[in-house]
Amino acid sequence: MRRYEYHYHNQPGCGGCLMIVALLLLAFGGAPLLIDVIGMVMVSGLFFFFALFIGLWVFSYYIKRKVSDYEQNQTEARNNFVSLLVHILVKIAQIDGTVTRAELQTIKNFFRVQLRYGQDQMFWVNELIKDATHNTDSMETLLAQFKNSFAYEPRLILVELIYQVLFTNDHVSDKDMELAGNIGEYLDLSAYDLQTIQSKYIHRRRASVNSEEQYYEVLGLAPGTDFEMIKKAYRKLSMKYHPDKVGHLGEEFRGVAEEKMKEINAAYQYFKKKYN
């Protein structure tokens, strides 16, 4: 026996209401009144759509003007760095063939929250994202452009930022981790430097990890490494992540380097206290 299911009724439309209004106009004013009212409605509708079109055009012009003014006030290196960063992040999102609204929102949130971009800067990022979604260049082409445009230290910061964006999601797959690692290798990062970047993100996926293990990983060292090697690793990383090396890219990226230096310093201070 087929189970009875109750079907809710839809709300009535306004078609009947319009018919009643038309009949009333005919009854009290005849055809001329009906035509006048229809004409007035059509003119009002055209005016509304015209005003809407003008409003959208003015807003679009305002955004483009803001973006253009902002770009003109930035260095060429900064503009290129952020543009390529956005294009690479969008290309990562497109790896599976499509890019979802949620993936684009993750990128926008990263700039807004992690890099603390203001409204004008977000106008700029939104335009860059639009450009990137229509860009047909391959990932290899974008990475080659980046490698040819920037020195080693900005490449370190780029890969650090890629991991940061990936880990703004609740779940990061092995495929995502492998892709980020491959990008680091393509940019000719050494295995040691890539390990120091990956370290703080890898331990987040583990069920348990103690602080000392994390500190070794931050310095790119195996557990049990002697203090002399720890000092050498610290000096080496301090040179690479010195904020002045990426200051020309903008204060936000200088801040990324400073945060990395805080992690490196914390690890070194832990071992310095332990061995001295």
Side-chain angles (χ1 to χ4, degrees):
M1 180 181 296
R2 189 165 69 95
R3 183 175 177 270
Y4 172 77
E5 293 183 2
Y6 185 84
H7 295 281
Y8 287 87
H9 298 87
N10 296 324
Q11 291 288 336
C14 64
C17 300
L18 292 174
M19 181 63 71
I20 291 172
V21 171
L23 290 174
L24 288 172
L25 290 172
L26 280 171
F28 291 100
L33 179 60
L34 178 61
I35 293 171
D36 288 343
V37 171
I38 292 174
M40 186 167 42
V41 170
M42 291 181 66
V43 169
S44 299
L46 287 173
F47 177 79
F48 171 78
F49 284 112
F50 180 73
L52 180 63
F53 174 79
I54 293 295
L56 291 173
W57 182 86
V58 169
F59 182 70
S60 176
Y61 176 83
Y62 171 78
I63 296 298
K64 290 179 180 179
R65 184 64 181 268
K66 280 283 188 181
V67 169
S68 178
D69 289 345
Y70 182 80
E71 287 175 331
Q72 295 299 320
N73 291 324
Q74 308 307 310
T75 64
E76 184 178 353
R78 174 182 164 78
N79 287 339
N80 287 338
F81 185 89
V82 177
S83 178
L84 281 169
L85 170 61
V86 171
H87 277 70
I88 290 168
L89 292 176
V90 171
K91 192 62 64 176
I92 291 173
Q94 291 174 333
I95 287 294
D96 59 358
T98 59
V99 55
T100 65
R101 183 177 298 178
E103 288 172 323
L104 293 181
Q105 194 60 47
T106 295
I107 297 172
K108 293 176 184 180
N109 287 341
F110 172 76
F111 281 93
R112 184 183 296 109
V113 179
Q114 301 299 118
L115 298 184
R116 299 176 183 176
Y117 271 24
Q119 189 61 65
D120 288 353
Q121 292 169 306
M122 287 309 303
F123 286 152
W124 180 41
V125 169
N126 289 335
E127 290 299 310
L128 292 176
I129 289 175
K130 289 178 186 178
D131 296 340
T133 54
H134 295 99
N135 191 315
T136 58
D137 289 340
S138 66
M139 176 69 82
E140 290 77 13
T141 299
L142 294 171
L143 293 176
Q145 290 177 15
F146 192 92
K147 186 164 64 172
N148 293 332
S149 301
F150 295 99
Y152 193 81
E153 290 78 11
R155 292 184 228 162
L156 288 173
I157 295 299
L158 175 73
V159 177
E160 174 79 26
L161 292 170
I162 288 172
Y163 276 98
Q164 285 188 18
V165 174
L166 290 176
F167 275 82
T168 58
N169 296 308
D170 294 331
H171 173 72
V172 181
S173 67
D174 292 336
K175 185 178 179 181
D176 291 332
M177 292 290 288
E178 182 181 4
L179 177 60
N182 290 340
I183 289 173
E185 291 174 2
Y186 188 92
L187 293 174
D188 290 337
L189 299 194
S190 68
Y192 169 76
D193 288 333
L194 191 54
Q195 168 62 26
T196 64
I197 294 173
Q198 292 173 332
S199 60
K200 70 176 181 181
Y201 302 102
I202 291 174
H203 77 250
R204 292 182 189 180
R205 307 173 77 206
R206 299 176 186 167
S208 62
V209 60
N210 61 47
S211 296
E212 186 166 296
E213 288 176 339
Q214 291 180 28
Y215 290 141
Y216 276 119
E217 289 176 345
V218 165
L219 297 174
L221 301 172
T225 300
D226 64 69
F227 189 60
E228 282 304 312
M229 289 297 295
I230 290 172
K231 284 197 291 186
K232 288 180 181 179
Y234 169 71
R235 290 169 186 152
K236 191 175 181 181
L237 289 171
S238 296
M239 290 291 291
K240 291 177 180 176
Y241 283 100
H242 195 286
D244 289 347
K245 295 285 184 72
V246 293
H248 62 293
L249 301 178
E251 285 303 312
E252 68 271 37
F253 303 113
R254 182 185 180 90
V256 173
E258 289 173 350
E259 287 301 313
K260 187 71 176 182
M261 278 303 303
K262 288 179 183 178
E263 296 171 8
I264 295 167
N265 285 328
Y268 178 68
Q269 291 302 320
Y270 170 83
F271 290 116
K272 184 178 180 180
K273 184 176 181 181
K274 177 180 178 179
Y275 287 104
N276 293 319

